[in-house]
Amino acid sequence: MPEEEIRPLTLGGTRFSYRVLRQPDPRTEPVVVLGGGFQGSRGWPHMEDRITPLADFVTADLPGVGESDCLPPGAGTEFAGAAVDRILDDLAAPRVNLFGYSYGAELAFGCAQRNPHRIARLMLGGVVSHTSAAQRESLQLAAGHLERGDAESFAAVAARMQLCLDDDRHIPRRALVYRYVKRSMLDVAVHVPDVLDYLQRSLISSPSFDGGLSGVPALVFTGEHDSITSPDRQRAFAATIRGSRFAAIRDSDHWVVLERAADVADLAVRFFTGRSWDAAPYVVPAPR
């Protein structure tokens, strides 16, 4: 088993931490993983299993996640981004491979914009760079349930807005994934202060994706049936990063990191080690 180290940090008096699994003979730069709004340091077992033989593996309990302190009042993406920079400073690696998914993609992209010289490769999934009217309506509906103290209905709406429930689109274990996501949303509704703020940060786009990026090898990916961050929207976002590539993963939606966890991990390994993924069976062929 790789050696594990938990590194406690503070930012403006707010306590948070990150976790490092050390690889004594790495074949690529450390891989730093930033997940969605409620994904903490131990939420990436498939990535961990496949990346630790190749590199140091770094995950975080950012402010508001896990055992870390809540975000300070009024703090948001800028504060969380400063926490990510603090992790890179403490890690002291000249460069890292940076993986961000959903809300974590926003943090990873901002980090790469601020620190392009520190990022060896950038992998972004489920980038919430666009928000539809339907998403905003669902969020308002979820907010109404939460205000009335109806956590069960809130969790159902929050789960439905993140998943593709169209029976004509094949997604393995759809019912199981729905139950898992709904249960997760119910748990955070009960135990996480300001849960609606976290959900909005995770699922509503912000100006953070403006400004483009160059000089960092990048890969953008999403599930082929993602209704929040559709392949067309993700492909358009990828075009704002000079020289980036795009991949859609079969039979999955916005929760591709759960539905096709092994495939996401394999794609990350290929990208971070410079191997091709064009012929991988889980990748949807690019349109001609």
Side-chain angles (χ1 to χ4, degrees), residues 58-277:
V58 181
T59 53
D61 281 343
L62 293 173
V65 176
E67 300 299 318
S68 296
D69 290 345
C70 294
L71 281 167
T77 300
E78 184 175 332
F79 188 87
V84 173
D85 289 353
R86 181 79 179 86
I87 290 172
L88 295 192
D89 291 341
D90 190 72
L91 193 61
R95 296 200 305 166
V96 301
N97 293 306
L98 188 56
F99 176 104
Y101 191 78
S102 195
Y103 178 55
E106 182 175 355
L107 298 179
F109 182 71
C111 180
Q113 285 184 310
R114 294 188 301 274
N115 310 286
H117 60 288
R118 303 175 79 171
I119 310 303
R121 300 166 196 83
L122 177 67
M123 185 170 173
L124 304 174
V127 181
V128 188
S129 59
H130 171 267
T131 304
S132 69
Q135 287 167 247
R136 293 188 183 278
E137 290 172 6
S138 292
L139 193 66
Q140 290 174 356
L141 180 61
H145 290 311
L146 202 60
E147 288 168 1
R148 290 188 292 274
D150 187 351
E152 184 76 21
S153 295
F154 163 82
V157 172
R160 288 199 300 270
M161 73 182 292
Q162 298 177 61
L163 299 168
C164 174
L165 301 179
D166 183 351
D167 289 334
D168 292 333
R169 298 177 182 272
H170 176 60
I171 297 178
R173 301 180 295 280
R174 184 197 306 271
L176 178 64
V177 171
Y178 172 76
R179 289 197 299 271
Y180 172 84
V181 175
K182 182 182 175 183
R183 187 170 64 248
S184 298
M185 292 298 101
L186 183 60
D187 183 69
V188 298
V190 173
H191 296 107
V192 176
D194 303 321
V195 59
L196 201 64
D197 290 341
Y198 280 93
L199 192 65
Q200 180 161 332
R201 276 195 292 273
S202 300
L203 300 177
I204 300 296
S205 64
S206 74
S208 300
F209 291 110
D210 293 344
L213 178 66
S214 62
V216 178
L219 168 63
V220 178
F221 75 97
T222 195
E224 69 167 328
H225 303 313
D226 193 326
S227 55
I228 295 178
T229 57
S230 69
D232 286 345
R233 292 283 185 186
Q234 298 294 277
R235 193 176 287 107
F237 169 73
T240 69
I241 303 176
R242 187 175 300 173
S244 71
R245 297 193 61 191
F246 171 77
I249 296 181
R250 293 184 187 277
D251 301 333
S252 59
D253 56 26
H254 192 68
W255 274 80
V256 59
V257 293
L258 175 62
E259 295 155 349
R260 304 299 295 262
D263 296 331
V264 171
D266 181 74
L267 182 63
V269 167
R270 289 171 185 256
F271 177 57
F272 292 144
T273 58
R275 293 165 49 208
S276 172
W277 61 84

